[in-house]
Amino acid sequence: MVLKSFIEVHPDSHFPIQNLPYGVFKRQPDSEPRPGVAIGDYVLDLSVVASAGLFDGPFLRNSHCFNQPNLNNFLELGRPAWKEARTTLQKLLSAAEPILRDNAILREKALVPTSEVQMLLPIAIGDYSDFFASKHHAYNCGVMFRGPDNAINPNWFHIPIAYHGRASSIVISGTDIIRPSGQGHPAGNSLPYFGPSRKLDFELEMATVVGPGNELGKPVDVNEAANHIFGLVLMNDWSARDIQAWEYVPLGPFLGKSFGTTLSPWIVTLDALEQFALDAPQQNPSPLPYLAEKKSKNYDIALQASIVPAGQKDAHVVTRSNLRHLYWTITQQLAHQTINGCNLRPGDLLGTGTISGPEPDSYGCLLELSWNGQKPLSLGGTTRTFLEDGDEVIFTGYCKVKFLGIFSFSLLCDFIPLPTIDCLTRLQGDGYNVGFGTCSGKILPSLP
């Protein structure tokens, strides 16, 4: 039996009752931020649900976590509270439950059309790290700058490489990004170039939202890491490739990354994604014991990046990738972040790095797609090697469940080999999406 909501949800919606991603919104520009979950074309106001006493389980009954301007207090409660909330909300929104369905006054207060709200960053982000976890991306970048014989440094296969980002410049989807200025490589014997970036790029990524943290000096076991992960968001870690290329030796990215990072507004929980888990790629050589997982898994999340060129209305798809291509899993990333005793806190963010697939149309950034400017992309009568002022970049991501007769393919996964499932899910059929919505930003000219 497929769970159905009393709220009509379009088959193409990213937000059926099986998803219920968390975000933070305002009803009016001057109103207080409040947590909510997405259901179809509505946001369910969790502060209203809590005030009505409908969270009556042991973990949430006396909690004020949904009367906060962000989700950090809820994240800190951990998986038992998250599961309790999910069970309660799916019951309240189900077609068979009358409490909300038949109470017009409560329903009017609790359900707000998405078109009438302003979405905000859902978490207070204390710290942010960005990994380099895609083998295809690492190889392509290495070939461009070092050649195929030395494309990936030997340490990459033993350690999830990352750098610390800048949490203060993380913004919500829809926020404009001002083209950064900085230094670039000098030409010949001249001084370094200084001015607006000439190689502004997007990076198709996802990011882990940390739930309960760990004490300083006490690493998280890789096989327990999932209990410290609340969910995932789409992320665009904008990059100024020319600034980055001049500055990154010897200490890595700095000004070429820290000018802006865009997040999608909805956090999709690991519980909602669990039915889309699949085996991660085999790692060779085997990781060191602290990174060796009993079950190493990724998630089958289809990702897409589109560009609306300046002066045009239509979006042009430039890449299609998938989270399944990650070499280092999100749990390995979290465990590695803490192995030296580093303490994580609720709301911390761990980016995956650019997610590229094996084929040219699955590369996750313009650096790869245009091969560092050598192969311009055709976009509806214009071309791009890197982003120009006025360009808008839009990411989407979703998982899809389809049905064969009365059986859901997701229910058959335990009985049919994965290659067969991959083939079957390409058939036509009714089903639902578990999606992330969109993550977008438009490039504005650099400041004078």
Side-chain angles (χ1 to χ4, degrees):
M1 180 67 67
V2 180
L3 186 62
K4 294 286 187 182
S5 174
F6 68 85
I7 297 172
E8 184 177 353
V9 178
H10 191 277
D12 292 334
S13 172
H14 282 199
F15 309 127
I17 194 172
Q18 289 83 3
N19 190 354
L20 302 184
Y22 288 80
V24 167
F25 71 99
K26 285 185 176 181
R27 287 180 180 247
Q28 302 293 335
D30 58 348
S31 61
E32 292 295 319
R34 54 187 65 191
V37 295
I39 176 72
D41 294 328
Y42 292 86
V43 179
L44 178 67
D45 188 333
L46 297 182
S47 68
V48 173
V49 176
S51 297
L54 299 181
F55 290 113
D56 58 356
F59 297 102
L60 296 175
R61 182 182 300 120
N62 298 314
S63 174
H64 298 286
C65 64
F66 294 132
N67 293 305
Q68 304 294 325
N70 56 57
L71 290 164
N72 289 46
N73 285 6
F74 180 52
L75 302 187
E76 190 173 11
L77 295 177
R79 190 162 300 283
W82 306 340
K83 286 184 175 291
E84 181 179 294
R86 181 172 172 81
T87 299
T88 299
L89 292 173
Q90 284 190 324
K91 179 182 178 182
L92 287 173
L93 292 167
S94 71
E97 176 58 52
I99 292 178
L100 191 58
R101 183 196 66 195
D102 296 347
N103 187 330
I105 296 176
L106 180 60
R107 196 171 65 246
E108 181 74 17
K109 290 176 61 178
L111 288 166
V112 189
T114 306
S115 59
E116 297 179 9
V117 305
Q118 175 191 356
M119 299 304 300
L120 309 173
L121 280 176
I123 48 179
I125 304 167
D127 283 297
Y128 153 52
S129 299
D130 194 41
F131 283 82
F132 190 44
S134 164
K135 181 179 177 181
H136 300 296
H137 176 61
Y139 177 79
N140 288 334
C141 292
V143 169
M144 268 183 265
F145 299 115
R146 292 184 298 274
D149 295 335
N150 190 32
I152 303 181
N153 292 326
N155 66 337
W156 192 91
F157 292 97
H158 295 278
I159 183 171
I161 301 293
Y163 71 93
H164 287 289
R166 182 73 185 176
S168 65
S169 56
I170 297 176
V171 297
I172 195 65
S173 175
T175 304
D176 294 334
I177 299 294
I178 297 173
R179 181 179 296 272
S181 292
Q183 293 188 32
H185 270 288
N189 295 324
S190 67
L191 292 174
Y193 163 82
F194 177 80
S197 171
R198 297 168 173 172
K199 291 186 174 182
L200 188 55
D201 200 356
F202 67 79
E203 289 195 346
L204 179 58
E205 302 194 24
M206 302 197 76
T208 294
V209 177
V210 175
N214 59 299
E215 292 184 33
L216 183 66
K218 295 185 178 181
V220 174
D221 186 295
V222 70
N223 294 303
E224 297 295 326
N227 289 326
H228 294 263
I229 297 175
F230 177 63
L232 297 176
V233 293
L234 297 173
M235 186 171 91
N236 186 347
D237 190 30
W238 307 89
S239 296
R241 299 298 186 185
D242 44 355
I243 298 174
Q244 180 184 356
W246 176 234
E247 73 182 0
Y248 84 101
V249 177
L251 292 180
F254 187 49
L255 299 182
K257 296 280 192 176
S258 61
F259 62 92
T261 300
T262 304
L263 298 185
S264 57
W266 297 108
I267 307 172
V268 178
T269 65
L270 286 196
D271 286 333
L273 293 172
E274 186 57 37
Q275 63 181 313
F276 307 102
L278 42 72
D279 291 339
Q282 185 174 359
Q283 296 176 339
N284 184 24
S286 297
L288 294 177
Y290 80 92
L291 291 170
E293 300 181 279
K294 293 178 181 177
K295 183 172 178 56
S296 187
K297 63 185 180 182
N298 284 336
Y299 297 91
D300 188 7
I301 303 174
L303 302 170
Q304 178 177 292
S306 302
I307 296 176
V308 182
Q312 295 189 20
K313 295 181 179 180
D314 295 333
H316 302 270
V317 176
V318 294
T319 191
R320 291 183 174 91
S321 188
N322 196 298
L323 188 75
R324 68 192 302 168
H325 296 311
L326 282 188
Y327 184 90
W328 294 106
T329 66
I330 60 173
T331 40
Q332 287 176 315
Q333 293 167 38
L334 188 144
H336 181 68
Q337 175 81 69
T338 69
I339 193 58
N340 66 342
C342 172
N343 56 316
L344 297 175
R345 294 171 293 186
D348 282 358
L349 202 70
L350 305 180
T352 61
T354 303
I355 304 169
S356 294
E359 303 299 331
D361 61 357
S362 64
Y363 295 167
C365 60
L366 289 174
L367 178 69
E368 294 173 84
L369 290 164
S370 75
W371 210 251
N372 198 19
Q374 297 178 39
K375 302 177 181 179
L377 280 68
S378 178
L379 302 175
T382 188
T383 60
R384 290 289 185 274
T385 53
F386 291 97
L387 296 170
E388 297 186 5
D389 294 345
D391 289 350
E392 182 181 13
V393 179
I394 304 169
F395 293 173
T396 59
Y398 69 96
C399 315
K400 190 161 190 72
V401 170
K402 293 187 178 182
F403 299 95
L404 184 63
I406 62 171
F407 296 103
S408 165
F409 287 172
S410 63
L411 300 178
L412 295 177
C413 288
D414 291 336
F415 308 102
I416 301 177
L418 278 175
T420 306
I421 288 292
D422 290 342
C423 177
L424 287 174
T425 55
R426 287 194 292 268
L427 296 176
Q428 296 298 312
D430 293 332
Y432 59 85
N433 301 312
V434 170
F436 294 78
T438 60
C439 177
S440 67
K442 180 181 288 187
I443 304 302
L444 298 185
S446 62
L447 296 176

